[in-house]
Amino acid sequence: MHTTPTQAVVLAGGQGSRLRPYTDDRPKPMVEIPGTGTPIIGHQLSWLAAEGVTDAVVSCGHLAEVLQEWLASADLPLRVTTVVETEPLGRGGGLKYAATHLPAPDQPWYATNGDIWTRFSLREMAAFHTERDALATLALARPRIPWGAVETDTFGNITDFIEAPPSPFLINAGVYVFSAAFTELLPDVGDHERATFPRLARERRLAGFPLPHGAYWRAIDTAKDLTEAAKELAARKA
C-alpha cells in the first residue's frame, strides 16, 4: 500500500563557511533569501507542510540556539522539534540520530538538506519511491553550469557559444524519501553516502527521482547563490 510520508528530517547543522559573513552570527539555514524576509528553513518548512508533512525534526549544529530561538518564535505550519548532536556523528550518523526522534518510526519519512530551496511535488516523489519498492529515493537535479560552454566541430572550429547550459549529469538534489527500514541501515557514526547508498545501489534498492521539468531548485552555498535566487524569485513572480 502506498503511504505518503507525513514526517520529515531537516539537516540544518552545517557551518556555511562559504556564505560568510552572512553565517557569522547564524547557521546556514537561517540566512534570508533577499526580498522574502524569510530564512531558507522557513521556506522549506512551508513547502513540507504544503506537501502534507505534519511533523518535522530539525537537526541543529553550528549556532543551534539561533535556529532554535527562531523556530520557537515563528508561526510555523507544522509541528517542529529540534535535536543537537552532543558529539559529531557525521552526515549518516546525524541523519540516524534525528530519525530516532520522528513521531512514527515505523512509517516512511522525507529528509532534506537545510541549504536547499526548491519546489516540486513530494507526493509524486513518494509514489515513485513506492512503485520501485526502494528503501531510499534521491531527488535528482540537473543544475546549470556556471560558465559559458563552447561547441566545436570535428575539425576544431568553434560553432557556438552557450551561456550557462544545463549540466550533462544529474546530481543529488539533497531531498530524499526513506522507507522506515532505511533508518537501521544508517551508520551510527559516519557518512551514509559512502557506505549505505553504494550498498543499496548494488542491491537495486536505491532509486533516483528526476525533478520534473520546470521545477525550481537551487542549493544556497555562496553569496552569489543568494543573489541569483532573489533574481529568479523576482522573475517567477513577474
Side-chain angles (χ1 to χ4, degrees):
M1 186 178 73
H2 169 45
T3 303
T4 301
T6 59
Q7 54 187 358
V9 168
V10 180
L11 297 172
Q15 292 195 8
S17 55
R18 291 196 293 163
L19 262 174
R20 289 176 176 159
Y22 297 101
T23 50
D24 284 345
D25 62 352
R26 68 195 63 196
K28 192 176 184 182
M30 280 299 298
V31 174
E32 292 184 3
I33 304 294
T36 70
T38 303
I40 299 168
I41 193 167
H43 293 283
Q44 288 188 321
L45 294 174
S46 294
W47 172 52
L48 290 171
E51 290 294 325
V53 174
T54 58
D55 294 87
V57 176
V58 178
S59 177
C60 307
H62 175 64
L63 295 174
E65 66 281 358
V66 177
L67 179 51
Q68 289 173 321
E69 288 174 9
W70 182 84
L71 290 169
S73 63
D75 183 14
L76 300 174
L78 70 176
R79 290 182 292 273
V80 176
T81 56
T82 60
V83 296
V84 182
E85 298 172 25
T86 55
E87 58 185 37
L89 299 176
R91 291 192 296 176
L95 188 62
K96 186 174 188 176
Y97 178 63
T100 62
H101 292 77
L102 289 167
D106 60 337
Q107 296 296 317
W109 48 290
Y110 297 118
T112 180
N113 294 344
D115 58 357
I116 301 299
W117 191 26
T118 185
R119 287 291 186 278
F120 64 91
S121 174
L122 284 174
R123 292 180 176 91
E124 289 182 8
M125 184 176 173
F128 179 97
H129 170 83
T130 301
E131 287 166 3
R132 281 145 188 84
D133 193 27
L135 280 172
T137 297
L138 287 62
L140 304 177
R142 195 181 297 277
R144 291 193 171 275
I145 298 172
W147 307 282
V150 177
E151 289 190 345
T152 64
D153 62 19
T154 55
F155 191 70
N157 295 308
I158 292 176
T159 59
D160 201 2
F161 295 90
I162 305 172
E163 187 62 31
S167 167
F169 300 102
L170 292 165
I171 68 164
N172 180 350
V175 181
Y176 312 90
V177 182
F178 296 135
S179 297
F182 174 77
T183 307
E184 289 302 313
L185 302 179
L186 287 165
D188 293 326
V189 179
D191 188 347
H192 60 294
E193 294 192 11
R194 295 185 178 182
T196 311
F197 280 175
R199 171 187 164 187
L200 292 180
R202 290 191 296 270
E203 296 172 356
R204 298 296 188 267
R205 301 297 303 278
L206 183 67
F209 175 76
L211 295 190
H213 179 72
Y216 183 79
W217 180 89
R218 177 174 285 277
I220 308 296
D221 290 319
T222 66
K224 183 179 180 182
D225 290 324
L226 282 175
T227 303
E228 292 298 318
K231 288 181 182 176
E232 289 160 357
L233 178 63
R236 290 168 74 88
K237 285 183 177 179

